[in-house]
Amino acid sequence: MITLGVESSCDETGLALYCSSQGLLAHTLFSQVDLHALYGGVVPELASRDHVKRLVPLTREVCDKAGITLSQISNVAYTRGPGLAGALLTGAMMARSLAWSLDVQALGVHHLEGHLLAPMLEEQPPAFPLVCLLVSGGHTQLIEVRGLGDYTLMGETIDDAAGEAFDKTAKMMGLGYPGGAALSALAQSGDAKAVSLPRPMLNRPNLDFSFSGLKTAAITRWKAFSGTEAERQIFMADLAASFELAVVDVLMGKSVKALEQSGLSTLVISGGVSANRTLRAAADAMQRNEKLTAFYPRLEFCTDNGAMIALAGSRRFMRGEADELAVNVRPRWPLEELTSNSKLRSDYQ
Ligand code: KG4
Ligand code: ZN
């Protein structure tokens, strides 16, 4: 069974072909980062318009890459939500129409389920049950995953998402948008112990996060700096490294706590921030010290992509799921809604 996956929830147009027996056949991606960088953030209308331009050429390209024709596609999965309404609609309409014209089934899948399953695109995939640390530009959550569609929210951010905190701090330092990766690159030449920053909520017993205060602390330190241009360059790298380590300390500290509380030993880290080098190194160190196992996607599948949507769709098609002809996108869509017998979040508080 070959599933075409279509991702268009924000500023990346991703197409992929996933075969239920052979795994990922091919994927293509167009990132709109340069388009939005000019405005310092994603402009929803521009995002939708650009998706419209890219979807069909990228579909052709992914088929060429995989060496298949459209007629060999068994079904089509697309991102139903969460995301930008207009951007979601472009992918949903294209996917649903293509499925209709090919007389195959279509299915709208959850973007975060895609992220959560992304490490399963690798040769040595994690097995359920597991704890997932989902860290992206819009979400920071710890989820107990018992199986496909069996999700219990263990904790989440009460204010900024980790990626959002990275982006806002980077923007303030003049590193552009989205600046998470740039801040992380700069951090490599800095001293992570140079600037003392808080580890918000780390010592609280619950599994919630808060990054807004940490971001403000970094901005305050930045604004208070006075020195020569050469000193400023050094301070910038030190601040980036110190900020990055503070975020990673909190993310890993809470993840280990979540594993202890759930009695599970497998941690999956996914979403855009899972591309962070220091976070990946901390996960590797955790494996060595704690007899726990950590998985994260290859770099290109940390941020938004079509491969994770094709995989999530494939798993759900295998269970016999499919949509009617109507297209419904869900710009806001809590992941726990996918769980039929959702456990109370308060189980973990
Ligand atoms: O998953 P994603 O592509 O989009 C959402 O669904 O939000 O995540 C994008 C986020 C952005 O905030 C970006 O700055 C962050 O992931 N990010 C990083 C790194 N690469 C991407 N944050 C820290 N370090 C990185 N290397
Ligand atoms: Zn995402």
Side-chain angles (χ1 to χ4, degrees), residues 100-112:
W100 183 78
S101 71
L102 295 173
D103 198 19
V104 299
Q105 290 182 315
L107 181 68
V109 305
H110 200 292
H111 181 78
L112 298 184

Side-chain angles (χ1 to χ4, degrees), residues 111 115 136-138 163-164 166-167 178 180-181 184 271-273 275-276 302-304:
H111 181 78
H115 275 306
S136 69
E164 190 181 356
F166 263 99
D167 292 342
S184 176
V273 181
N276 184 273
C302 290
T303 43
D304 293 348

Side-chain angles (χ1 to χ4, degrees), residues 7 9-10 12 82 111-112 115 134-139 271-272 302-305 308:
E7 157 63 28
S9 65
C10 190
E12 255 107 26
H111 181 78
L112 298 184
H115 275 306
L134 213 153
V135 267
S136 69
H139 294 85
C302 290
T303 43
D304 293 348
N305 63 86
M308 66 185 196

